[in-house]
Structures are given as C-alpha cells and as structure tokens.
C-alpha cells in the first residue's frame, strides 16, 4: 500500500493550519499595545524567580530568569508567570512591580512594565509561513481541479 496519495490528500490542511498560526502570531504580537491601551494598571509583588526551562525539545535549561508576580484585581488574586527571561534579572523576590492586565470574558492578558511580546509571535509566524508555503500550492491545485471538473 502506497501512503503517498493519502499524504497528498492531507497537504491542503497544512494551508489552513498555517493560516491559523499566522492569525495567532499577529494577535500575540499586538498584546503589548492591547493591554497598554485597554488594560488596568495595578501593583504586584514578585514571589519567585524562575530559571528559563529552555526549548521544548531541549534537555538543558535556557539562559536567563523571569519573575513570578502575584497581584490583586477586583475578581481576586492572580499570579503571572513572566516569560521575559533576562540575564541578569532586574527583579528580586519581594519587589513591588507595575502590572497591567486585561481580562475580558475568556481573555486573560498580563504584562509587566517594560515587558515585550517575547519570541512566540516570531516563532508562530515562521511556522505559519512555512506551512502556508507547503500547503497552499496543493490547495490551489485541488481547487483548480474542482473547477475544471464542472
């Protein structure tokens, strides 16, 4: 049994997955602007400093440390695990820091002062673009064959 025809049938799905990743990358790249404009400013306390766990597929720790911050909103106490790993870290346990949060329905976005969007938007963009470049030619071919059969 040759699996190639089955694989070729699933290739257009990569185009949709890639497009979805590009949409998420765009949304995540705007988190700082969205939280700064719509969010509420409050004060939090650094309760822990965490070591960078490294990449998902790596067995060794990454470089830098990031704070874990507790803060209080009108809905209660919340904890933010920052992914802004820095060496040396400008934070220490017990330090008071400025926190901005935007909670709306299921959206829970929190950033610290001087914190960026991180590397997630770039990573999602790269993967999305790669999957689109692979999947869209197959999708276009499928749509052209569908149009020619009518």
């Amino acid at each position: 049994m040759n699996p190639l025809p089955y694989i070729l049938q699933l290739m257009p799905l990569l185009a949709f997955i890639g497009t979805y990743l590009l949409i998420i990358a765009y949304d995540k790249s705007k988190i700082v602007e969205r939280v700064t404009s719509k969010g509420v400013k409050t004060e939090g306390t650094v309760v822990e400093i965490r070591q960078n766990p490294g990449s998902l597929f790596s067995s060794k720790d990454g470089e830098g440390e990031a704070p874990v911050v507790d803060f209080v909103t009108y809905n209660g106490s919340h904890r933010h695990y920052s992914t802004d790993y820095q060496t040396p870290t400008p934070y220490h346990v017990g330090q008071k820091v400025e926190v901005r949060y935007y909670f709306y329905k299921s959206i829970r976005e929190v950033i610290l002062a001087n914190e960026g969007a991180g590397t997630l938007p770039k990573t999602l963009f790269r993967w999305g673009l790669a999957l689109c470049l692979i999947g869209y030619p197959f999708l276009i071919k499928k749509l052209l064959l569908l149009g020619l059969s009518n």
Side-chain angles (χ1 to χ4, degrees), residues 8-10 16 36 48 55 57 59 66 82 88-89 96 101 104 108 112 114 122 138 145 148:
L8 292 177
Q9 292 292 326
L10 293 176
F16 292 113
T36 302
E48 180 184 347
S55 70
F57 302 106
S59 61
S82 176
T89 182
K96 299 292 185 187
Y101 66 92
Y104 178 72
R108 301 284 186 260
L112 300 175
N114 304 322
K122 289 179 185 175
F138 290 96
L145 290 175
L148 294 175

Side-chain angles (χ1 to χ4, degrees), residues 21-89:
L21 289 177
L22 290 175
I23 292 169
I24 293 172
Y26 177 78
D27 182 59
K28 294 296 182 188
S29 71
K30 300 296 180 189
I31 188 171
V32 174
E33 296 165 17
R34 186 172 43 250
V35 174
T36 302
S37 67
K38 296 180 180 180
V40 177
K41 186 192 302 187
T42 188
E43 186 177 81
T45 305
V46 177
V47 294
E48 180 184 347
I49 302 293
R50 295 182 51 166
Q51 179 70 30
N52 186 347
S55 70
L56 181 62
F57 302 106
S58 175
S59 61
K60 65 178 188 172
D61 290 344
E63 294 181 19
E65 297 174 325
V68 178
V69 178
D70 279 347
F71 63 99
V72 179
T73 69
Y74 60 90
N75 286 336
S77 179
H78 295 276
R79 181 167 281 186
H80 171 61
Y81 293 86
S82 176
T83 56
D84 187 25
Y85 296 100
Q86 299 177 18
T87 302
T89 182

Side-chain angles (χ1 to χ4, degrees), residues 123-143:
T123 304
L124 290 173
F125 179 78
R126 288 180 187 138
W127 277 100
L129 189 61
L131 292 178
C132 283
L133 289 173
I134 293 168
Y136 270 108
F138 290 96
L139 179 64
I140 291 169
K141 183 180 176 188
K142 287 266 188 201
L143 291 174

Side-chain angles (χ1 to χ4, degrees), residues 2-10:
N2 185 9
L4 187 60
Y6 299 107
I7 293 172
L8 292 177
Q9 292 292 326
L10 293 176

